[in-house]
Short mmCIF file of all heavy atoms in Angstrom, two decimals:
data_model
loop_
_atom_site.label_atom_id
_atom_site.label_comp_id
_atom_site.label_asym_id
_atom_site.label_seq_id
_atom_site.Cartn_x
_atom_site.Cartn_y
_atom_site.Cartn_z
N GLY C 173 -68.92 -90.66 -121.49
CA GLY C 173 -69.09 -91.56 -120.36
C GLY C 173 -70.11 -91.14 -119.32
O GLY C 173 -70.26 -91.82 -118.30
N LYS C 174 -70.84 -90.07 -119.54
CA LYS C 174 -71.86 -89.63 -118.58
C LYS C 174 -73.14 -90.41 -118.76
O LYS C 174 -73.55 -90.71 -119.88
CB LYS C 174 -72.13 -88.14 -118.75
CG LYS C 174 -70.96 -87.28 -118.37
CD LYS C 174 -71.30 -85.82 -118.50
CE LYS C 174 -70.08 -84.98 -118.17
NZ LYS C 174 -70.26 -83.58 -118.51
N LYS C 175 -73.79 -90.74 -117.63
CA LYS C 175 -75.09 -91.41 -117.65
C LYS C 175 -76.18 -90.33 -117.63
O LYS C 175 -76.11 -89.40 -116.83
CB LYS C 175 -75.24 -92.32 -116.44
CG LYS C 175 -74.27 -93.47 -116.44
CD LYS C 175 -74.43 -94.30 -115.19
CE LYS C 175 -73.36 -95.38 -115.12
NZ LYS C 175 -73.38 -96.07 -113.84
N ILE C 176 -77.17 -90.51 -118.49
CA ILE C 176 -78.24 -89.53 -118.62
C ILE C 176 -79.57 -90.26 -118.57
O ILE C 176 -79.81 -91.18 -119.38
CB ILE C 176 -78.14 -88.78 -119.97
CG1 ILE C 176 -76.76 -88.16 -120.15
CG2 ILE C 176 -79.23 -87.73 -120.10
CD1 ILE C 176 -76.38 -87.92 -121.58
N ILE C 177 -80.44 -89.88 -117.65
CA ILE C 177 -81.78 -90.45 -117.66
C ILE C 177 -82.53 -89.79 -118.80
O ILE C 177 -82.75 -88.58 -118.81
CB ILE C 177 -82.51 -90.20 -116.32
CG1 ILE C 177 -81.79 -90.93 -115.19
CG2 ILE C 177 -83.97 -90.68 -116.43
CD1 ILE C 177 -82.36 -90.65 -113.81
N LEU C 178 -82.90 -90.60 -119.78
CA LEU C 178 -83.57 -90.08 -120.97
C LEU C 178 -85.09 -90.06 -120.80
O LEU C 178 -85.76 -89.19 -121.34
CB LEU C 178 -83.20 -90.91 -122.20
CG LEU C 178 -81.71 -90.96 -122.54
CD1 LEU C 178 -81.47 -91.95 -123.67
CD2 LEU C 178 -81.19 -89.58 -122.89
N GLY C 179 -85.62 -91.04 -120.07
CA GLY C 179 -87.06 -91.09 -119.89
C GLY C 179 -87.46 -92.11 -118.85
O GLY C 179 -86.73 -93.05 -118.56
N LEU C 180 -88.65 -91.89 -118.30
CA LEU C 180 -89.24 -92.77 -117.30
C LEU C 180 -90.70 -92.98 -117.66
O LEU C 180 -91.37 -92.05 -118.11
CB LEU C 180 -89.17 -92.14 -115.91
CG LEU C 180 -87.80 -91.79 -115.35
CD1 LEU C 180 -87.94 -90.86 -114.17
CD2 LEU C 180 -87.09 -93.06 -114.95
N LYS C 181 -91.19 -94.20 -117.44
CA LYS C 181 -92.60 -94.47 -117.71
C LYS C 181 -93.06 -95.55 -116.75
O LYS C 181 -92.38 -96.56 -116.58
CB LYS C 181 -92.79 -94.91 -119.15
CG LYS C 181 -94.23 -95.03 -119.58
CD LYS C 181 -94.28 -95.33 -121.07
CE LYS C 181 -95.67 -95.21 -121.61
NZ LYS C 181 -96.06 -93.84 -121.89
N ARG C 182 -94.21 -95.34 -116.18
CA ARG C 182 -94.79 -96.35 -115.30
C ARG C 182 -95.40 -97.45 -116.15
O ARG C 182 -96.06 -97.19 -117.15
CB ARG C 182 -95.86 -95.71 -114.43
CG ARG C 182 -96.37 -96.62 -113.38
CD ARG C 182 -97.29 -95.90 -112.46
NE ARG C 182 -97.86 -96.83 -111.53
CZ ARG C 182 -98.84 -96.58 -110.73
NH1 ARG C 182 -99.38 -95.38 -110.72
NH2 ARG C 182 -99.29 -97.49 -109.91
N GLY C 183 -95.14 -98.69 -115.76
CA GLY C 183 -95.70 -99.84 -116.48
C GLY C 183 -95.67 -101.05 -115.59
O GLY C 183 -94.79 -101.20 -114.76
N GLU C 184 -96.62 -101.91 -115.76
CA GLU C 184 -96.70 -103.11 -114.93
C GLU C 184 -95.59 -104.10 -115.25
O GLU C 184 -95.10 -104.80 -114.40
CB GLU C 184 -98.07 -103.78 -115.10
CG GLU C 184 -99.22 -102.93 -114.59
CD GLU C 184 -99.04 -102.50 -113.14
OE1 GLU C 184 -98.69 -103.34 -112.29
OE2 GLU C 184 -99.25 -101.31 -112.85
N THR C 185 -95.20 -104.13 -116.51
CA THR C 185 -94.13 -105.03 -116.93
C THR C 185 -93.24 -104.30 -117.93
O THR C 185 -93.58 -103.23 -118.41
CB THR C 185 -94.67 -106.31 -117.61
OG1 THR C 185 -95.32 -105.93 -118.83
CG2 THR C 185 -95.64 -107.05 -116.72
N GLU C 186 -92.13 -104.93 -118.25
CA GLU C 186 -91.22 -104.38 -119.26
C GLU C 186 -91.58 -104.93 -120.63
O GLU C 186 -90.72 -105.34 -121.39
CB GLU C 186 -89.78 -104.73 -118.90
CG GLU C 186 -89.33 -104.19 -117.57
CD GLU C 186 -88.02 -104.80 -117.15
OE1 GLU C 186 -87.08 -104.86 -117.95
OE2 GLU C 186 -87.95 -105.25 -115.99
N ASN C 187 -92.86 -104.91 -120.97
CA ASN C 187 -93.26 -105.50 -122.23
C ASN C 187 -92.93 -104.58 -123.41
O ASN C 187 -92.59 -103.41 -123.25
CB ASN C 187 -94.75 -105.88 -122.22
CG ASN C 187 -95.67 -104.69 -122.17
OD1 ASN C 187 -95.37 -103.63 -122.72
ND2 ASN C 187 -96.80 -104.85 -121.53
N TRP C 188 -93.04 -105.15 -124.59
CA TRP C 188 -92.64 -104.45 -125.81
C TRP C 188 -93.43 -103.16 -126.00
O TRP C 188 -92.88 -102.15 -126.41
CB TRP C 188 -92.80 -105.38 -127.01
CG TRP C 188 -92.67 -104.66 -128.31
CD1 TRP C 188 -93.62 -104.55 -129.27
CD2 TRP C 188 -91.54 -103.92 -128.79
NE1 TRP C 188 -93.14 -103.79 -130.31
CE2 TRP C 188 -91.86 -103.39 -130.04
CE3 TRP C 188 -90.28 -103.64 -128.27
CZ2 TRP C 188 -90.99 -102.62 -130.79
CZ3 TRP C 188 -89.41 -102.87 -129.02
CH2 TRP C 188 -89.76 -102.37 -130.26
N GLU C 189 -94.72 -103.16 -125.72
CA GLU C 189 -95.55 -101.97 -125.95
C GLU C 189 -95.08 -100.79 -125.09
O GLU C 189 -94.96 -99.67 -125.59
CB GLU C 189 -97.03 -102.27 -125.66
CG GLU C 189 -97.68 -103.14 -126.70
CD GLU C 189 -97.71 -102.51 -128.09
OE1 GLU C 189 -97.98 -101.30 -128.19
OE2 GLU C 189 -97.46 -103.24 -129.06
N VAL C 190 -94.82 -101.02 -123.83
CA VAL C 190 -94.36 -99.95 -122.94
C VAL C 190 -93.01 -99.43 -123.41
O VAL C 190 -92.80 -98.21 -123.51
CB VAL C 190 -94.27 -100.44 -121.47
CG1 VAL C 190 -93.64 -99.38 -120.59
CG2 VAL C 190 -95.65 -100.82 -120.94
N CYS C 191 -92.09 -100.34 -123.73
CA CYS C 191 -90.75 -99.93 -124.18
C CYS C 191 -90.84 -99.19 -125.51
O CYS C 191 -90.17 -98.17 -125.71
CB CYS C 191 -89.84 -101.14 -124.30
SG CYS C 191 -89.47 -101.91 -122.70
N LYS C 192 -91.65 -99.69 -126.44
CA LYS C 192 -91.81 -99.05 -127.75
C LYS C 192 -92.37 -97.63 -127.59
O LYS C 192 -91.87 -96.69 -128.21
CB LYS C 192 -92.73 -99.89 -128.63
CG LYS C 192 -92.93 -99.32 -130.02
CD LYS C 192 -93.89 -100.17 -130.83
CE LYS C 192 -95.26 -99.88 -130.31
NZ LYS C 192 -96.38 -100.17 -131.14
N ASP C 193 -93.39 -97.47 -126.76
CA ASP C 193 -93.97 -96.14 -126.52
C ASP C 193 -92.94 -95.19 -125.93
O ASP C 193 -92.86 -94.02 -126.33
CB ASP C 193 -95.19 -96.23 -125.59
CG ASP C 193 -96.37 -96.91 -126.24
OD1 ASP C 193 -96.38 -97.08 -127.48
OD2 ASP C 193 -97.30 -97.29 -125.49
N LEU C 194 -92.17 -95.68 -124.98
CA LEU C 194 -91.16 -94.83 -124.34
C LEU C 194 -90.08 -94.44 -125.33
O LEU C 194 -89.68 -93.27 -125.39
CB LEU C 194 -90.56 -95.55 -123.12
CG LEU C 194 -89.61 -94.77 -122.25
CD1 LEU C 194 -90.17 -93.41 -121.83
CD2 LEU C 194 -89.25 -95.57 -121.01
N LEU C 195 -89.62 -95.37 -126.15
CA LEU C 195 -88.62 -95.04 -127.16
C LEU C 195 -89.17 -94.05 -128.19
O LEU C 195 -88.47 -93.12 -128.60
CB LEU C 195 -88.12 -96.31 -127.86
CG LEU C 195 -87.20 -97.19 -127.03
CD1 LEU C 195 -86.96 -98.52 -127.73
CD2 LEU C 195 -85.89 -96.49 -126.72
N GLN C 196 -90.44 -94.21 -128.58
CA GLN C 196 -91.04 -93.27 -129.52
C GLN C 196 -91.08 -91.86 -128.92
O GLN C 196 -90.82 -90.87 -129.61
CB GLN C 196 -92.45 -93.71 -129.91
CG GLN C 196 -93.09 -92.80 -130.95
CD GLN C 196 -92.28 -92.72 -132.23
OE1 GLN C 196 -92.00 -93.74 -132.85
NE2 GLN C 196 -91.90 -91.52 -132.63
N GLU C 197 -91.39 -91.77 -127.62
CA GLU C 197 -91.39 -90.47 -126.95
C GLU C 197 -90.00 -89.83 -127.00
O GLU C 197 -89.87 -88.62 -127.15
CB GLU C 197 -91.86 -90.62 -125.51
CG GLU C 197 -93.34 -90.94 -125.39
CD GLU C 197 -93.77 -91.28 -123.97
OE1 GLU C 197 -93.00 -91.01 -123.02
OE2 GLU C 197 -94.87 -91.84 -123.81
N LEU C 198 -88.95 -90.66 -126.86
CA LEU C 198 -87.58 -90.13 -126.93
C LEU C 198 -87.29 -89.56 -128.31
O LEU C 198 -86.70 -88.48 -128.44
CB LEU C 198 -86.56 -91.21 -126.58
CG LEU C 198 -86.67 -91.84 -125.20
CD1 LEU C 198 -85.59 -92.89 -125.02
CD2 LEU C 198 -86.60 -90.80 -124.11
N PHE C 199 -87.72 -90.26 -129.36
CA PHE C 199 -87.51 -89.76 -130.71
C PHE C 199 -88.35 -88.52 -130.98
O PHE C 199 -87.91 -87.60 -131.67
CB PHE C 199 -87.76 -90.85 -131.75
CG PHE C 199 -86.70 -91.91 -131.75
CD1 PHE C 199 -87.01 -93.21 -131.43
CD2 PHE C 199 -85.38 -91.60 -132.04
CE1 PHE C 199 -86.03 -94.19 -131.41
CE2 PHE C 199 -84.39 -92.57 -132.02
CZ PHE C 199 -84.71 -93.86 -131.70
N ASP C 200 -89.55 -88.46 -130.40
CA ASP C 200 -90.38 -87.26 -130.51
C ASP C 200 -89.71 -86.06 -129.85
O ASP C 200 -89.94 -84.92 -130.24
CB ASP C 200 -91.76 -87.48 -129.88
CG ASP C 200 -92.62 -88.47 -130.65
OD1 ASP C 200 -92.28 -88.79 -131.82
OD2 ASP C 200 -93.61 -88.95 -130.07
N ARG C 201 -88.86 -86.34 -128.85
CA ARG C 201 -88.12 -85.28 -128.15
C ARG C 201 -86.74 -85.05 -128.78
O ARG C 201 -85.86 -84.50 -128.19
CB ARG C 201 -88.00 -85.63 -126.67
CG ARG C 201 -89.35 -85.59 -126.00
CD ARG C 201 -89.36 -86.08 -124.56
NE ARG C 201 -88.16 -85.87 -123.82
CZ ARG C 201 -87.60 -86.79 -123.03
NH1 ARG C 201 -88.14 -87.97 -122.90
NH2 ARG C 201 -86.50 -86.52 -122.37
N LYS C 202 -86.61 -85.50 -130.02
CA LYS C 202 -85.44 -85.23 -130.87
C LYS C 202 -84.18 -86.00 -130.49
O LYS C 202 -83.07 -85.53 -130.74
CB LYS C 202 -85.17 -83.73 -130.94
CG LYS C 202 -86.35 -82.97 -131.49
CD LYS C 202 -86.06 -81.50 -131.56
CE LYS C 202 -87.31 -80.81 -132.08
NZ LYS C 202 -87.38 -79.44 -131.72
N LEU C 203 -84.34 -87.18 -129.90
CA LEU C 203 -83.17 -88.04 -129.69
C LEU C 203 -82.63 -88.41 -131.06
O LEU C 203 -83.37 -88.86 -131.93
CB LEU C 203 -83.55 -89.30 -128.92
CG LEU C 203 -82.43 -90.31 -128.71
CD1 LEU C 203 -81.35 -89.72 -127.81
CD2 LEU C 203 -82.97 -91.60 -128.15
N GLN C 204 -81.34 -88.21 -131.26
CA GLN C 204 -80.71 -88.46 -132.55
C GLN C 204 -79.76 -89.65 -132.43
O GLN C 204 -78.91 -89.67 -131.55
CB GLN C 204 -79.92 -87.23 -132.99
CG GLN C 204 -80.72 -85.98 -132.91
CD GLN C 204 -80.96 -85.34 -134.25
OE1 GLN C 204 -80.29 -85.67 -135.21
NE2 GLN C 204 -81.90 -84.44 -134.30
N ILE C 205 -79.92 -90.60 -133.32
CA ILE C 205 -79.00 -91.73 -133.41
C ILE C 205 -78.30 -91.59 -134.76
O ILE C 205 -78.90 -91.88 -135.80
CB ILE C 205 -79.75 -93.09 -133.32
CG1 ILE C 205 -80.63 -93.16 -132.10
CG2 ILE C 205 -78.76 -94.23 -133.40
CD1 ILE C 205 -79.92 -93.26 -130.78
N THR C 206 -77.08 -91.12 -134.73
CA THR C 206 -76.36 -90.86 -135.99
C THR C 206 -75.25 -91.86 -136.25
O THR C 206 -74.68 -91.89 -137.34
CB THR C 206 -75.78 -89.44 -135.99
OG1 THR C 206 -74.93 -89.29 -134.86
CG2 THR C 206 -76.89 -88.41 -135.93
N SER C 207 -74.92 -92.65 -135.25
CA SER C 207 -73.91 -93.70 -135.43
C SER C 207 -74.36 -94.93 -134.66
O SER C 207 -75.24 -94.84 -133.80
CB SER C 207 -72.54 -93.21 -134.94
OG SER C 207 -72.60 -92.87 -133.59
#
Side-chain angles (χ1 to χ4, degrees):
K174 293 182 182 170
K175 295 177 186 173
I176 306 157
I177 296 175
L178 300 173
L180 301 165
K181 188 174 191 81
R182 188 173 175 191
E184 295 305 314
T185 65
E186 299 168 48
N187 68 33
W188 169 242
E189 288 297 319
V190 173
C191 293
K192 182 182 75 159
D193 291 346
L194 187 50
L195 287 171
Q196 183 59 56
E197 290 172 14
L198 300 180
F199 289 117
D200 291 346
R201 293 173 31 224
K202 301 180 182 157
L203 177 66
Q204 309 245 344
I205 307 289
T206 57
S207 60

